[in-house]
Amino acid sequence: MDHPKEKPDDARIEDIERASNTRRISVSEKNGLGMHEMAVLTAEEIKAEKRYVLKLDLVVLPLIAVMYFLATLDRGDISNAAIAGMDAELHITPKQLSQCVAFFYIGYIVCQIPGNILMRAIGPNIQLGSAMIGWGLATTVMCEAKNWQAIAGLRVLIGAIEAFLQAGPLYLTLWYRREELATRGAIFFSMMAVAGSMNGLIAYGVEHNLNGVHGWGAWRWIFLIEGIMSVGMGFVVLALLPATPETAGWEFTEKEKEIGMRRSREAFNTPHAKIQPKQLIAVITDPKVWFYAFVYSCMNISLACFSSFLPIIINLLGYSTVKTQLLTIPVYVVTGVFTIIVCTCSDRLRKRGIFLIGSFLLAAVGWLLLIVSDSRNLSFGGTFLVGMGTYPSVVLIQSWMNSNVIGFTKRAGSLAFIMVFGQSFALLGAEIFNDAPKYYRGKVLSLGSLVVGALVTILFLFYLRHVNDWKRRNQDSEDASEKRALGMEEICDDHPDFMFWY
């Protein structure tokens, strides 16, 4: 009796794939992850999606970038104003200045959670545009300050209003898939670095052209000009920024709206998602969220010290006030470009941890140079390394968390949690940076926090790999079957088929 001939290998593989697809479809009918699977597109559909993403990059991304640009101007102008005459005119001591910087984070921390959780309810365009108008008005009022207490009080208010802007990264998750988040986050966050350079440029121009005009010192003009810019742009955002893919209006065609809805589902979003209180509890019981909060805190110490005190650090290297304002520009420009390069590579390789470790260590070397070096040129070079390591780490942590935490409530709650936790440490960094003229305490604290952050990140990589392996081993368990029947907003990233990036 003749035995049947074996099928060729390619035919056998085709049968296996067909069976696998059949099983996947049957499971997807009651699988919470099914509606979020990547669609198979035709060549024409791929072209249409590329045009849609380009449109997002030309409409949504620039508006978000300008928001963060102006927010950073208003947040960082306190240091530029200080060396432009505010300290002398209002008799502000180094300790009082550090408190003016630190008090910003009090309002920021208090309003962080509602600023994220309420984004869908308020509407992203209304929330973000109104926030710009609010902090712009508060910054404008600072030009009339008569003492340091007024500056400190207004800084609390600016921080509270700016907390509502920090839903920006969460807003991007509605429009971009997780392999696109770091690049886009880097683009708008690099605008924060550019804003740092513009702060110096604006301060330089104001000191040269407006100091003493109408009896005002240069520092008052800095607050007035930057505040008015934010108010004006806030009205532009209200008018032009689309809200969510499911409520997109005249900005998009019907075909583009369909693409946007599909892509939003593929980014693990549920249309018209409501707040799920139990997922807020899940935030504080998730070890991943605690890790992100911890490393975000490590990064924030460095960021607060760097962004708030860079002009003072450079000034103390022996440069004149005017030259100090100019020298902040190349530091921030290089930092912005480097942030985009690092985060683009992270998206392309779909890796977060290794880039975060490298960023932490690069910034740590920069702080080390600022602590031990007596060379002005070497110390100035250290400021570049601090910026080039600190700014990419902000984007990498946020995009890493947004890639690994899904479900609107849990993602929004997690982002708010890590920011509250992180800004508490930023408050510490800003407050401790008051031992003029060397500021050793703030520099050493920044260095130590970055080294610890790098070490903890290494451990976290092993943890995520372990969790992914555990999910794969238990794919066919009864518990996995029960979880598959739950919706994404119920199960979130605990879904047995959702694998974490590391």
Side-chain angles (χ1 to χ4, degrees):
M1 179 177 178
D2 293 332
H3 294 286
K5 294 182 179 179
E6 288 190 3
K7 294 181 180 180
D9 287 344
D10 55 346
R12 188 184 307 156
I13 291 171
E14 188 176 53
D15 287 345
I16 293 171
E17 288 179 345
R18 188 180 300 112
S20 177
N21 289 336
T22 301
R23 178 181 179 275
R24 188 180 299 115
I25 292 170
S26 63
V27 170
S28 293
E29 292 176 357
K30 61 174 184 176
N31 185 347
L33 202 64
M35 67 177 289
H36 303 280
E37 290 180 351
M38 295 283 287
V40 178
L41 305 178
T42 65
E44 187 58 37
E45 287 172 331
I46 291 173
K47 290 180 181 178
E49 179 169 331
K50 287 181 177 179
R51 289 193 296 268
Y52 171 80
V53 173
L54 179 61
K55 187 171 185 176
L56 288 181
D57 291 343
L58 295 176
V59 176
V60 171
L61 204 55
L63 289 172
I64 296 291
V66 172
M67 281 185 252
Y68 273 77
F69 173 82
L70 292 173
T72 306
L73 279 184
D74 290 344
R75 183 189 304 191
D77 55 15
I78 187 76
S79 184
N80 295 92
I83 64 173
M86 182 183 72
D87 283 6
E89 185 174 336
L90 300 185
H91 308 291
I92 298 177
T93 66
K95 183 173 179 59
Q96 290 169 342
L97 178 63
S98 72
Q99 289 175 339
C100 288
V101 173
F103 285 178
F104 168 90
Y105 296 102
I106 295 175
Y108 197 86
I109 290 167
V110 170
C111 293
Q112 193 63 240
I113 291 177
N116 280 273
I117 296 297
L118 298 177
M119 184 190 72
R120 273 186 179 271
I122 296 174
N125 53 336
I126 296 173
Q127 175 172 316
L128 298 176
S130 300
M132 292 190 74
I133 295 170
W135 87 64
L137 289 173
T139 300
T140 303
V141 172
M142 287 175 71
C143 71
E144 289 287 354
K146 306 300 182 185
N147 50 54
W148 82 272
Q149 290 92 339
I151 298 290
L154 286 166
R155 291 279 295 176
V156 174
L157 179 61
I158 292 171
I161 299 172
E162 262 200 41
F164 286 83
L165 174 74
Q166 300 311 311
L170 180 65
Y171 173 72
L172 289 186
T173 67
L174 302 177
W175 300 91
Y176 291 100
R177 292 196 290 258
R178 62 178 182 165
E179 69 271 17
E180 301 167 338
L181 287 176
T183 302
R184 272 68 187 187
I187 290 171
F188 77 75
F189 199 78
S190 67
M191 294 302 291
M192 297 179 70
V194 174
S197 68
M198 287 300 296
N199 255 332
L201 190 60
I202 291 172
Y204 174 79
V206 167
E207 284 195 72
H208 263 67
N209 300 291
L210 293 177
N211 191 25
V213 174
H214 298 303
W216 274 16
W219 67 273
R220 295 185 186 274
W221 287 106
I222 291 173
F223 288 138
L224 179 65
I225 292 169
E226 295 184 359
I228 290 175
M229 289 167 59
S230 293
V231 173
M233 191 62 200
F235 287 103
V236 174
V237 170
L238 282 172
L240 299 182
L241 187 71
T244 62
E246 60 265 29
T247 60
W250 58 269
E251 305 96 337
F252 300 98
T253 65
E254 290 302 315
K255 182 63 177 177
E256 288 171 337
K257 291 176 185 177
E258 292 176 8
I259 295 173
M261 287 288 292
R262 171 179 57 77
R263 281 173 49 84
S264 188
R265 288 193 300 270
E266 291 172 350
F268 302 102
N269 295 301
T270 302
H272 306 289
K274 304 296 182 183
I275 295 174
Q276 303 281 342
K278 71 176 184 178
Q279 292 303 335
L280 294 177
I281 298 174
V283 167
I284 59 176
T285 59
D286 188 339
K288 298 192 308 300
V289 177
W290 282 98
F291 161 77
Y292 294 124
F294 182 82
V295 294
Y296 198 72
S297 302
C298 293
M299 174 280 303
N300 254 314
I301 292 173
S302 177
L303 180 64
C305 291
F306 178 80
S307 61
S308 299
F309 297 100
L310 178 63
I312 293 173
I313 292 171
I314 294 176
N315 185 238
L316 290 172
L317 296 178
Y319 296 104
S320 67
T321 299
V322 172
K323 192 168 185 179
T324 293
Q325 306 285 21
L326 289 176
L327 287 177
T328 61
I329 298 172
V331 177
Y332 279 117
V333 170
V334 171
T335 292
V337 172
F338 191 76
T339 298
I340 294 175
I341 293 172
V342 169
C343 294
T344 300
C345 291
S346 174
D347 267 352
R348 293 288 177 84
L349 298 176
R350 303 192 180 194
K351 300 289 183 182
R352 303 288 192 232
I354 190 66
F355 288 99
L356 181 60
I357 293 167
S359 296
F360 276 160
L361 295 179
L362 184 63
V365 171
W367 283 116
L368 182 63
L369 289 176
L370 288 170
I371 293 169
V372 304
S373 175
D374 292 324
S375 166
R376 183 166 74 170
N377 291 337
L378 195 58
S379 296
F380 182 56
T383 63
F384 282 85
L385 297 182
V386 172
M388 292 164 64
T390 300
Y391 274 72
S393 64
V394 181
V395 183
L396 290 169
I397 295 168
Q398 289 185 357
S399 60
W400 197 3
M401 193 211 72
N402 285 331
S403 297
N404 282 344
V405 177
I406 56 176
F408 174 74
T409 303
K410 189 174 182 183
R411 185 182 269 167
S414 298
L415 186 61
F417 181 79
I418 72 169
M419 287 187 172
V420 168
F421 206 84
Q423 299 305 336
S424 300
F425 282 82
L427 177 62
L428 170 65
E431 180 64 25
I432 205 171
F433 212 93
N434 61 11
D435 54 328
K438 296 296 185 181
Y439 295 102
Y440 281 132
R441 284 196 300 231
K443 294 174 183 176
V444 170
L445 179 64
S446 297
L447 170 62
S449 66
L450 291 168
V451 172
V452 171
L455 293 174
V456 172
T457 303
I458 293 172
L459 296 177
F460 188 63
L461 294 179
F462 288 103
Y463 170 78
L464 287 182
R465 181 176 296 180
H466 168 75
V467 174
N468 281 352
D469 289 343
W470 183 88
K471 283 189 174 185
R472 292 187 185 99
R473 288 195 304 269
N474 290 274
Q475 288 284 296
D476 299 322
S477 68
E478 184 178 341
D479 180 64
S481 298
E482 292 175 357
K483 286 182 176 179
R484 285 192 181 96
L486 300 175
M488 184 54 61
E489 294 297 317
E490 298 176 274
I491 192 64
C492 299
D493 43 89
D494 281 336
H495 194 286
D497 301 324
F498 180 79
M499 297 298 162
F500 300 115
W501 283 15
Y502 53 84

